[in-house]
Amino acid sequence: AQTVTQSQPEMSVQEAETVTLSCTYDTSESNYYLFWYKQPPSRQMILVIRQEAYKQQNATENRFSVNFQKAAKSFSLKISDSQLGDTAMYFCAFMKQTYSGGGADGLTFGKGTHLIIQP
Amino acid sequence: DAMVIQNPRYQVTQFGKPVTLSCSQTLNHNVMYWYQQKSSQAPKLLFHYYDKDFNNEADTPDNFQSRRPNTSFCFLDIRSPGLGDAAMYLCATSPRRGAHNEQFFGPGTRLTVL
């Protein structure tokens, strides 16, 4: 079984600052994906960014980027030029890759980091 | 807009009284998931469907059941809710198997057990 750990229950930064959210995971799988999901207050969870374990290059999506350290099993999220709309719960998640004929396992989530962007 | 819809958004039930939560999707996705998210805890997978194929997590209590009568709808039945079942229940869909396929979440149903 895999585990995902987010050690920062809450973070607060000023608008326009850069913030990094931490995530570590443990797995014996060799082929998997890692994700960051955002859950705004009273709204649905949406995908922010994902990383395939086999890809060495860190994923980026506009202001969002990850620092994927496979050997250390670390997967942090960096938000640059933070905006008020970035205020949300952020969940780090793991999913092992399956192929045709295998099961479709769900996501294993961390407990989340509540990020507050102050004006 | 294509989306994942959960009804109701808030559900109150009494201890031991059966309750059903519903999820519908207009995305025509093959895979549907149910997650339980208790306060200050990580969302936890309860079960999922790949098409009509039901997959139960090993530690999901027998008190929880699911039905998927067609591609668009999926139901979560709690036969005898206990106080410990109070949580946010999230439905998610994905077009196909595989971690490379994004999961799309509904807004959740918050269940209160009195």
Side-chain angles (χ1 to χ4, degrees):
Chain A
Q2 37 277 339
T3 59
V4 177
T5 302
Q6 294 180 250
S7 59
Q8 304 151 313
E10 185 170 290
M11 297 185 71
S12 180
V13 298
Q14 296 293 122
E15 193 176 6
E17 289 184 348
T18 294
V19 59
T20 299
L21 309 182
S22 302
C23 173
T24 58
Y25 63 96
D26 192 22
T27 185
S28 58
E29 301 289 337
S30 58
N31 195 6
Y32 54 88
Y33 276 72
L34 295 162
F35 307 84
W36 279 98
Y37 277 87
K38 170 185 177 181
Q39 188 178 38
S42 301
R43 297 185 63 184
Q44 65 258 48
M45 203 176 300
I46 57 174
L47 178 65
V48 175
I49 197 166
R50 62 183 150 187
Q51 174 82 40
E52 184 177 4
Y54 268 92
K55 290 189 176 178
Q56 293 184 345
Q57 185 173 6
N58 289 323
T60 62
E61 289 286 346
N62 300 314
R63 297 182 295 108
F64 299 87
S65 62
V66 298
N67 183 4
F68 175 46
Q69 301 291 326
K70 190 173 182 179
K73 294 181 180 174
S74 171
F75 183 63
S76 61
L77 173 69
K78 185 172 82 171
I79 305 174
S80 303
D81 186 27
S82 57
Q83 301 174 359
L84 297 178
D86 295 334
T87 293
M89 282 293 291
Y90 285 82
F91 291 95
C92 179
F94 171 102
M95 187 168 177
K96 70 179 182 182
Q97 180 62 304
T98 57
Y99 299 95
S100 178
D105 294 334
L107 293 158
T108 299
F109 286 94
K111 287 188 175 182
T113 296
H114 184 206
L115 176 64
I116 301 168
I117 309 298
Q118 304 275 9
Chain B
D1 288 341
M3 57 175 58
V4 181
I5 302 161
Q6 291 188 247
N7 286 310
R9 293 290 307 275
Y10 300 90
Q11 177 73 58
V12 180
T13 191
Q14 292 181 334
F15 184 95
K17 184 176 181 181
V19 64
T20 295
L21 309 182
S22 72
C23 176
S24 64
Q25 52 128 341
T26 60
L27 298 162
N28 201 34
H29 284 174
N30 275 330
V31 192
M32 294 188 78
Y33 302 87
W34 280 105
Y35 292 88
Q36 179 191 59
Q37 185 181 13
K38 293 186 177 181
S39 180
S40 303
Q41 294 187 24
K44 181 179 178 299
L45 179 68
L46 294 174
F47 25 60
H48 64 274
Y49 277 92
Y50 175 68
D51 197 9
K52 296 180 181 179
D53 184 24
F54 177 70
N55 298 268
N56 196 31
E57 291 299 292
D59 56 356
T60 297
D62 293 338
N63 198 26
F64 290 82
Q65 304 286 323
S66 185
R67 296 170 284 135
R68 189 178 185 186
N70 53 54
T71 300
S72 301
F73 286 88
C74 194
F75 300 98
L76 170 61
D77 300 310
I78 309 176
R79 292 190 296 186
S80 182
L83 298 179
D85 297 328
M88 176 75 83
Y89 289 88
L90 302 173
C91 175
T93 72
S94 186
R96 288 168 294 279
R97 286 175 174 155
H100 56 284
N101 292 293
E102 180 179 348
Q103 290 192 23
F104 295 81
F105 284 82
T109 294
R110 183 167 296 282
L111 178 67
T112 300
V113 182
L114 300 177

